[in-house]
């Protein structure tokens, strides 16, 4: 894959993330309003704030790459976020917790992939930020998993695959970077 391909892939992934964060933030706003426990409200509100922050960071990276958010994705995300926010009030306690956990587990991988594209297109300045975002998504997944498992019915559900330990996000990334450097050295 050329540097240009990686840059294009990075832009596409950041556009996706930028809009997905909007949908997530609106959905979590509905979610924390729908739960009764003060502790859950505080944590989910904090997660909402973190999604807004991610959106801001993804937007800054897009700008720095000379790209813009995707208009269609933005409209779709706005609708999805608003609909999910309403559904949180109608579906009961468990389904939004389960749905959030499943989605968060995907977000971890997306920011890890974005960090790899950043490395491959020479934007090393994005790497730490993207890996930190992956780590924050890891914490989100962990929280929603713990909530589902706290529910008697949730414990009987089959859950999405558990992500590897958080430290592995950076460890794997840098191990892989070292291996590709060695490969490049060996072939030159
Ligand atoms: Fe996020
Ligand atoms: Fe998240």
């Amino acid at each position: 894959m050329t540097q240009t391909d990686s840059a294009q892939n990075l832009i596409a992934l950041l556009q996706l993330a930028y809009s997905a964060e909007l949908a997530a933030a609106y959905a979590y706003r509905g979610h924390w309003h729908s739960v009764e426990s003060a502790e859950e409200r505080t944590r989910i509100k904090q997660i909402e704030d973190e999604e807004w922050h991610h959106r801001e960071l993804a937007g800054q990276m897009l700008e720095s790459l000379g790209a813009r958010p995707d208009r269609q994705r933005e409209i779709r995300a706005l609708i999805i976020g608003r609909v999910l926010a309403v559904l949180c009030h109608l579906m009961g306690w468990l389904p939004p917790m389960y749905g959030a956990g499943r989605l968060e587990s995907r977000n971890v991988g997306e920011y890890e992939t974005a960090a790899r594209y950043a490395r491959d297109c020479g934007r090393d300045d994005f790497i730490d930020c993207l890996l930190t975002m992956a780590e924050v998504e890891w914490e989100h997944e962990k929280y929603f998993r713990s909530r589902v498992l706290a529910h008697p019915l949730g414990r009987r559900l089959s859950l999405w695959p558990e992500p590897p330990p958080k430290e592995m996000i950076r460890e794997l990334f840098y191990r892989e970077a070292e291996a590709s450097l060695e490969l490049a050295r060996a072939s030159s």
Side-chain angles (χ1 to χ4, degrees):
M1 200 187 290
T2 66
Q3 271 211 353
T4 317
D5 289 338
S6 299
Q8 273 166 3
N9 287 339
L10 178 60
I11 288 171
L13 200 46
L14 285 172
Q15 284 171 330
L16 190 129
Y18 182 80
S19 299
E21 296 290 3
L22 176 73
Y26 277 128
Y28 287 136
R29 187 172 294 175
H31 194 180
W32 71 260
H33 277 109
S34 76
V35 294
E36 278 171 27
S37 144
E39 231 171 278
E40 286 172 358
R41 283 173 83 96
T42 306
R43 177 63 177 130
I44 301 170
K45 162 82 171 68
Q46 186 196 6
I47 292 174
E48 181 202 334
D49 294 343
E50 286 168 348
E51 309 301 18
W52 286 120
H53 182 51
H54 285 175
R55 177 166 159 91
E56 199 183 311
L57 294 169
Q60 285 165 3
M61 284 184 231
L62 277 174
E63 205 180 315
S64 151
L65 289 159
R68 286 165 170 274
D70 182 307
R71 232 182 111 70
Q72 293 293 333
R73 277 193 193 286
E74 282 290 284
I75 297 167
R76 215 179 312 153
L78 190 70
I79 297 168
I80 293 172
R82 298 284 197 183
V83 169
L84 288 174
V86 173
L87 285 178
C88 287
H89 291 273
L90 306 173
M91 287 189 302
W93 184 91
L94 186 58
M97 294 290 186
Y98 185 95
R102 185 176 272 279
L103 273 177
E104 292 292 354
S105 73
R106 277 224 309 258
N107 294 342
V108 179
E110 272 175 16
Y111 285 121
E112 286 180 302
T113 305
R116 291 190 173 93
Y117 288 144
R119 176 194 67 207
D120 294 345
C121 71
R123 291 306 302 251
D124 289 5
D125 52 324
F126 290 172
I127 292 173
D128 185 58
C129 180
L130 288 165
L131 292 177
T132 304
M133 283 153 91
E135 287 165 346
V136 172
E137 303 297 4
W138 188 95
E139 291 290 347
H140 294 174
E141 189 278 340
K142 184 183 171 202
Y143 174 71
F144 290 114
R145 174 181 294 274
S146 78
R147 300 321 302 140
V148 171
L149 292 174
H151 192 284
L153 181 61
R155 277 194 290 276
R156 289 163 58 194
L157 293 174
S158 90
L159 295 197
W160 57 93
E162 190 172 358
K166 190 164 86 169
E167 312 77 71
M168 292 304 287
I169 293 175
R170 273 170 206 271
E171 205 178 310
L172 271 176
F173 180 85
Y174 288 110
R175 211 192 286 162
E176 197 189 287
E178 238 171 74
S180 61
L181 247 175
E182 268 172 36
L183 202 75
R185 256 188 245 130
S187 61
S188 66

